[in-house]
Amino acid sequence: MITLQASGFLDFVQHQMGQFFEYTSFVNFTLGHFVMIVIGLIFIYLAISKEYEPLLLIPIGFGIIIGNIPFFPGLKIGVYEEGSVLNILYHGVQNGWYPPLIFLGIGAMTDFSALISNPKLMLIGAAAQLGIFAAYTVALSIGFNPAEAGAIGIIGGADGPTAIFISSKLAPEMLGAVAIAAYSYMALVPVIQPPVMRLLTNPKERLIRMKPPRQVSKLEKILFPLIGILLTCFLVPSGLPLLGMLFFGNLLKESGVTRRLANTASGPMIDIVTILIGLTVGVSTQATTFLTKESILIFVLGAASFVVATAGGVLFVKFINLFLKEGSKINPLIGNAGVSAVPDSARVSQIVGQEYDRSNHLLMHAMGPNVAGVIGSAVAAGILLSFLY
């Protein structure tokens, strides 16, 4: 009798242990999950060791790790399981809620003085969007449909929130790959851009000294977001969620009477949204949905569009210099800043410039096309939405 009871108890324990093991991650763990976890660890390493966009790469990297710990289906814990906490947070990405809030914070922390003092720098920001439309054309030619090609092309703007906003509207199934590619290339600005800048400029051009920007009045700073919203959004109304929030944030900053709101938008609010957007984008990269041939193509096309965007900005400066007098020419090394990776691409202009002349300070000039690139990428996004959505 005792032997039978002991045997039954052992069977019960064995059954329970077997059931417990089925609920562990070891059962469903695959090589794909391992690869993605390694990628997440690499992101964290680059953020901590190299200080490549740590505010973005650490949340994304940790999110990739979370998203690739397999679990028993039906527990309502996964990002794609309706009603789970992660799924609810991911709605902010899927429905495009987070990017406009990011733009509000960017506007509240951005000084447009360099652009206002030299408006022709806006053209550099526009020229750098060439990468978006080049990648769009190539993506179409290799078989992506127009909406998917638009989502891929926006990576060339080097603007993660804009990439998320566009892909959530045009190609939700590509959102994770597009977002990871956009943020990856934003973080790798100091690696990708300098070789392109050196290749496309000669020693004489790299030594060009630009006139100091003029002093911008408070009235001009207040009028800029008001005029900016009217000009850009009357031209491209579909860019209103991003451009409207960008200029609104800037007005909060420059008005001088809403400092508390500006500080909130540029501080705690943007920090919270950055955490949520980074973590949830990372979590969405589950190996079963992320490791595909299309994802690899997205990364390749994204890299190409980023290089083309950098080259477009540099070459455009060289072109307009043909029409400018000596003493008024623009250093082509600030052309890379036309992509909207603020302020990293402007810092790259400064770093590369000082390799050739330690006393030549390009940062204040590079901030002009850099903030113009933020506006330019949002306008380009609006253009794509207007005929693809």
Side-chain angles (χ1 to χ4, degrees), residues 277-324:
I277 203 171
L279 187 69
T280 51
V281 163
V283 171
S284 72
T285 61
Q286 294 179 0
T288 50
T289 59
F290 188 79
L291 287 179
T292 63
K293 183 181 74 173
E294 286 75 18
S295 295
I296 295 171
L297 282 174
I298 288 169
F299 270 79
V300 172
L301 289 172
S305 68
F306 193 74
V307 170
V308 171
T310 302
V314 173
L315 291 175
F316 182 76
V317 174
K318 289 165 68 78
F319 173 72
I320 61 176
N321 274 346
L322 297 175
F323 306 96
L324 298 176

Coordinates of all heavy atoms in Angstrom, one line a residue, residues 277-324:
I277 N 9.5 54.0 -25.9 CA 9.6 53.8 -27.3 C 10.8 52.8 -27.6 O 10.8 51.9 -28.4 CB 9.8 55.1 -28.1 CG1 9.4 54.9 -29.6 CG2 11.2 55.6 -28.1 CD1 9.3 56.1 -30.4
G278 N 11.9 53.0 -26.9 CA 13.1 52.2 -27.0 C 12.8 50.8 -26.6 O 13.1 49.8 -27.3
L279 N 12.2 50.6 -25.4 CA 12.0 49.3 -24.8 C 11.0 48.5 -25.7 O 11.2 47.3 -26.0 CB 11.4 49.4 -23.4 CG 11.3 48.1 -22.6 CD1 12.7 47.5 -22.3 CD2 10.5 48.3 -21.4
T280 N 9.9 49.1 -26.1 CA 8.8 48.4 -26.8 C 9.3 48.1 -28.2 O 8.9 47.0 -28.8 CB 7.5 49.2 -26.8 OG1 7.8 50.6 -27.3 CG2 6.9 49.3 -25.5
V281 N 10.0 49.0 -28.9 CA 10.6 48.7 -30.2 C 11.5 47.5 -30.1 O 11.5 46.5 -30.9 CB 11.3 49.9 -30.8 CG1 12.2 49.4 -31.9 CG2 10.3 50.9 -31.3
G282 N 12.3 47.4 -29.0 CA 13.2 46.3 -28.8 C 12.5 45.0 -28.6 O 12.8 44.0 -29.2
V283 N 11.4 45.1 -27.8 CA 10.6 43.9 -27.4 C 10.0 43.3 -28.7 O 9.7 42.1 -28.8 CB 9.6 44.2 -26.3 CG1 8.6 43.1 -26.1 CG2 10.3 44.5 -25.0
S284 N 9.6 44.2 -29.6 CA 8.9 43.8 -30.8 C 9.7 42.9 -31.8 O 9.2 42.4 -32.7 CB 8.3 45.0 -31.6 OG 9.4 45.7 -32.2
T285 N 11.1 42.8 -31.5 CA 11.9 42.1 -32.5 C 12.1 40.7 -32.1 O 13.2 40.1 -32.0 CB 13.3 42.8 -32.5 OG1 13.9 42.7 -31.2 CG2 13.3 44.2 -32.9
Q286 N 11.0 40.0 -31.9 CA 11.0 38.5 -31.6 C 11.6 37.8 -32.8 O 11.3 38.1 -34.0 CB 9.6 38.0 -31.3 CG 9.1 38.6 -30.0 CD 7.7 38.1 -29.7 OE1 7.1 37.3 -30.4 NE2 7.1 38.5 -28.6
A287 N 12.5 36.8 -32.6 CA 13.2 36.2 -33.6 C 12.2 35.6 -34.7 O 12.5 35.6 -35.9 CB 14.0 35.1 -33.1
T288 N 11.1 35.1 -34.2 CA 10.1 34.4 -35.2 C 9.5 35.4 -36.2 O 9.1 35.0 -37.3 CB 9.0 33.8 -34.4 OG1 8.5 34.7 -33.4 CG2 9.5 32.5 -33.6
T289 N 9.5 36.7 -35.8 CA 8.9 37.7 -36.7 C 10.0 38.6 -37.3 O 9.8 39.2 -38.3 CB 7.9 38.5 -36.0 OG1 8.5 39.2 -34.9 CG2 6.7 37.7 -35.5
F290 N 11.2 38.6 -36.7 CA 12.2 39.6 -37.1 C 13.2 39.1 -38.0 O 13.7 39.8 -38.9 CB 12.8 40.2 -35.8 CG 13.7 41.4 -36.1 CD1 13.2 42.6 -36.3 CD2 15.1 41.2 -36.1 CE1 14.1 43.7 -36.5 CE2 16.0 42.2 -36.4 CZ 15.4 43.5 -36.5
L291 N 13.7 37.9 -37.8 CA 14.8 37.3 -38.6 C 14.3 36.8 -39.9 O 14.0 35.6 -40.0 CB 15.5 36.2 -37.8 CG 16.4 36.7 -36.6 CD1 17.1 35.5 -35.9 CD2 17.5 37.7 -37.1
T292 N 14.1 37.6 -40.8 CA 13.6 37.3 -42.2 C 14.5 37.9 -43.2 O 15.3 38.8 -43.0 CB 12.2 37.8 -42.4 OG1 12.2 39.2 -42.3 CG2 11.3 37.2 -41.3
K293 N 14.4 37.4 -44.5 CA 15.1 38.0 -45.6 C 14.8 39.5 -45.8 O 15.6 40.3 -46.1 CB 14.8 37.2 -46.9 CG 15.6 37.7 -48.1 CD 15.2 36.9 -49.3 CE 13.8 37.3 -49.8 NZ 13.5 36.7 -51.1
E294 N 13.5 39.8 -45.5 CA 13.1 41.2 -45.7 C 13.8 42.1 -44.7 O 14.2 43.2 -45.0 CB 11.6 41.3 -45.5 CG 10.7 40.8 -46.7 CD 10.7 39.3 -46.7 OE1 11.0 38.6 -45.7 OE2 10.3 38.7 -47.8
S295 N 14.0 41.6 -43.5 CA 14.7 42.4 -42.4 C 16.1 42.7 -42.8 O 16.6 43.8 -42.7 CB 14.6 41.7 -41.1 OG 13.3 41.6 -40.6
I296 N 16.8 41.7 -43.4 CA 18.1 41.9 -43.9 C 18.2 43.0 -45.0 O 19.0 43.9 -45.0 CB 18.7 40.6 -44.3 CG1 18.9 39.6 -43.1 CG2 20.1 40.8 -45.0 CD1 19.3 38.2 -43.5
L297 N 17.2 42.9 -45.9 CA 17.2 43.8 -47.0 C 16.9 45.2 -46.5 O 17.5 46.2 -47.0 CB 16.1 43.5 -48.0 CG 16.4 42.3 -49.0 CD1 15.2 42.0 -49.8 CD2 17.5 42.8 -49.9
I298 N 16.1 45.3 -45.5 CA 15.8 46.6 -44.9 C 17.0 47.3 -44.3 O 17.3 48.5 -44.5 CB 14.7 46.5 -43.8 CG1 13.3 46.2 -44.4 CG2 14.6 47.8 -42.9 CD1 12.3 45.8 -43.5
F299 N 17.9 46.5 -43.6 CA 19.1 47.0 -43.0 C 20.1 47.4 -44.1 O 20.7 48.4 -44.0 CB 19.7 45.9 -42.1 CG 19.3 46.0 -40.7 CD1 18.1 45.5 -40.3 CD2 20.1 46.6 -39.8 CE1 17.7 45.6 -39.0 CE2 19.7 46.7 -38.4 CZ 18.5 46.2 -38.1
V300 N 20.2 46.6 -45.2 CA 21.1 47.0 -46.3 C 20.6 48.3 -47.0 O 21.4 49.2 -47.2 CB 21.2 45.8 -47.3 CG1 21.9 46.3 -48.5 CG2 21.8 44.6 -46.7
L301 N 19.3 48.4 -47.3 CA 18.8 49.6 -47.9 C 18.9 50.8 -47.0 O 19.1 51.9 -47.5 CB 17.4 49.3 -48.4 CG 17.2 48.4 -49.6 CD1 15.7 48.1 -49.8 CD2 17.8 48.9 -50.8
G302 N 18.7 50.5 -45.7 CA 18.8 51.6 -44.8 C 20.2 52.2 -44.7 O 20.3 53.4 -44.7
A303 N 21.2 51.3 -44.7 CA 22.6 51.8 -44.7 C 22.9 52.6 -45.9 O 23.5 53.6 -45.9 CB 23.5 50.6 -44.6
A304 N 22.4 52.0 -47.1 CA 22.6 52.7 -48.4 C 22.0 54.1 -48.4 O 22.6 55.1 -48.8 CB 22.1 51.9 -49.5
S305 N 20.8 54.2 -47.9 CA 20.0 55.5 -47.9 C 20.7 56.5 -47.0 O 20.8 57.7 -47.3 CB 18.6 55.3 -47.5 OG 18.5 54.9 -46.1
F306 N 21.3 56.0 -45.9 CA 22.0 56.9 -44.9 C 23.3 57.4 -45.6 O 23.6 58.6 -45.4 CB 22.3 56.1 -43.7 CG 22.7 57.0 -42.5 CD1 21.8 57.7 -41.8 CD2 24.1 57.0 -42.1 CE1 22.2 58.5 -40.8 CE2 24.5 57.8 -41.1 CZ 23.5 58.6 -40.4
V307 N 24.0 56.6 -46.3 CA 25.2 57.0 -47.0 C 24.9 58.0 -48.1 O 25.5 59.1 -48.2 CB 25.9 55.8 -47.6 CG1 27.1 56.3 -48.5 CG2 26.5 55.0 -46.5
V308 N 23.8 57.8 -48.8 CA 23.4 58.7 -49.9 C 22.9 60.0 -49.3 O 23.2 61.1 -49.8 CB 22.2 58.0 -50.7 CG1 21.6 59.1 -51.7 CG2 22.7 56.8 -51.5
A309 N 22.2 60.0 -48.2 CA 21.8 61.2 -47.5 C 23.0 62.1 -47.1 O 23.0 63.3 -47.3 CB 20.9 60.9 -46.3
T310 N 24.0 61.4 -46.5 CA 25.2 62.1 -46.1 C 25.9 62.7 -47.3 O 26.3 63.9 -47.3 CB 26.2 61.2 -45.4 OG1 25.5 60.6 -44.2 CG2 27.4 61.9 -44.9
A311 N 26.0 61.9 -48.4 CA 26.7 62.4 -49.6 C 25.9 63.5 -50.2 O 26.5 64.5 -50.7 CB 26.8 61.2 -50.6
G312 N 24.6 63.4 -50.2 CA 23.7 64.4 -50.8 C 23.9 65.8 -50.1 O 24.0 66.8 -50.8
G313 N 24.0 65.8 -48.8 CA 24.3 67.1 -48.1 C 25.6 67.7 -48.4 O 25.7 68.9 -48.7
V314 N 26.7 66.8 -48.4 CA 28.0 67.3 -48.7 C 28.1 67.8 -50.2 O 28.7 68.9 -50.4 CB 29.1 66.2 -48.5 CG1 30.5 66.6 -48.9 CG2 29.1 65.8 -47.0
L315 N 27.6 67.1 -51.1 CA 27.7 67.5 -52.5 C 26.9 68.7 -52.8 O 27.3 69.5 -53.7 CB 27.2 66.3 -53.4 CG 28.2 65.1 -53.4 CD1 27.5 63.9 -54.2 CD2 29.5 65.4 -54.0
F316 N 25.8 68.9 -52.1 CA 25.0 70.1 -52.3 C 25.7 71.3 -51.9 O 25.6 72.4 -52.5 CB 23.6 69.9 -51.6 CG 22.7 71.1 -51.8 CD1 22.0 71.3 -53.0 CD2 22.6 72.1 -50.9 CE1 21.2 72.4 -53.2 CE2 21.7 73.2 -51.1 CZ 21.1 73.3 -52.3
V317 N 26.4 71.2 -50.8 CA 27.2 72.4 -50.3 C 28.3 72.7 -51.4 O 28.5 73.9 -51.7 CB 27.9 72.1 -49.0 CG1 28.8 73.2 -48.6 CG2 26.8 71.9 -47.9
K318 N 28.9 71.7 -51.9 CA 29.9 71.9 -53.0 C 29.3 72.6 -54.2 O 29.9 73.5 -54.8 CB 30.6 70.6 -53.4 CG 31.5 70.0 -52.3 CD 31.8 68.5 -52.6 CE 32.7 68.4 -53.8 NZ 34.1 68.7 -53.6
F319 N 28.1 72.2 -54.5 CA 27.4 72.8 -55.6 C 27.1 74.3 -55.4 O 27.3 75.1 -56.2 CB 26.1 72.0 -55.9 CG 25.2 72.7 -56.9 CD1 25.6 72.6 -58.3 CD2 24.0 73.3 -56.6 CE1 24.8 73.2 -59.3 CE2 23.2 73.9 -57.5 CZ 23.6 73.9 -58.9
I320 N 26.5 74.6 -54.2 CA 26.1 76.0 -54.0 C 27.3 76.9 -53.8 O 27.3 78.1 -54.0 CB 25.1 76.2 -52.8 CG1 25.7 75.7 -51.5 CG2 23.8 75.5 -53.1 CD1 24.8 75.9 -50.3
N321 N 28.4 76.3 -53.4 CA 29.7 77.1 -53.3 C 30.1 77.6 -54.6 O 30.9 78.6 -54.6 CB 30.8 76.2 -52.6 CG 30.7 76.3 -51.1 OD1 30.1 77.1 -50.5 ND2 31.5 75.4 -50.5
L322 N 29.7 77.0 -55.7 CA 30.1 77.5 -57.0 C 29.5 78.9 -57.3 O 30.0 79.6 -58.1 CB 29.6 76.5 -58.1 CG 30.1 75.1 -58.1 CD1 29.4 74.2 -59.1 CD2 31.7 75.1 -58.3
F323 N 28.4 79.2 -56.6 CA 27.7 80.5 -56.8 C 28.0 81.5 -55.7 O 27.4 82.6 -55.7 CB 26.2 80.2 -56.9 CG 25.9 79.2 -58.0 CD1 25.7 77.9 -57.6 CD2 25.8 79.5 -59.3 CE1 25.4 76.9 -58.6 CE2 25.5 78.6 -60.3 CZ 25.3 77.3 -59.9
L324 N 28.8 81.1 -54.7 CA 29.1 82.0 -53.6 C 30.4 82.7 -53.7 O 31.4 82.0 -54.2 CB 29.0 81.3 -52.2 CG 27.6 80.7 -51.9 CD1 27.7 79.9 -50.6 CD2 26.5 81.7 -51.8

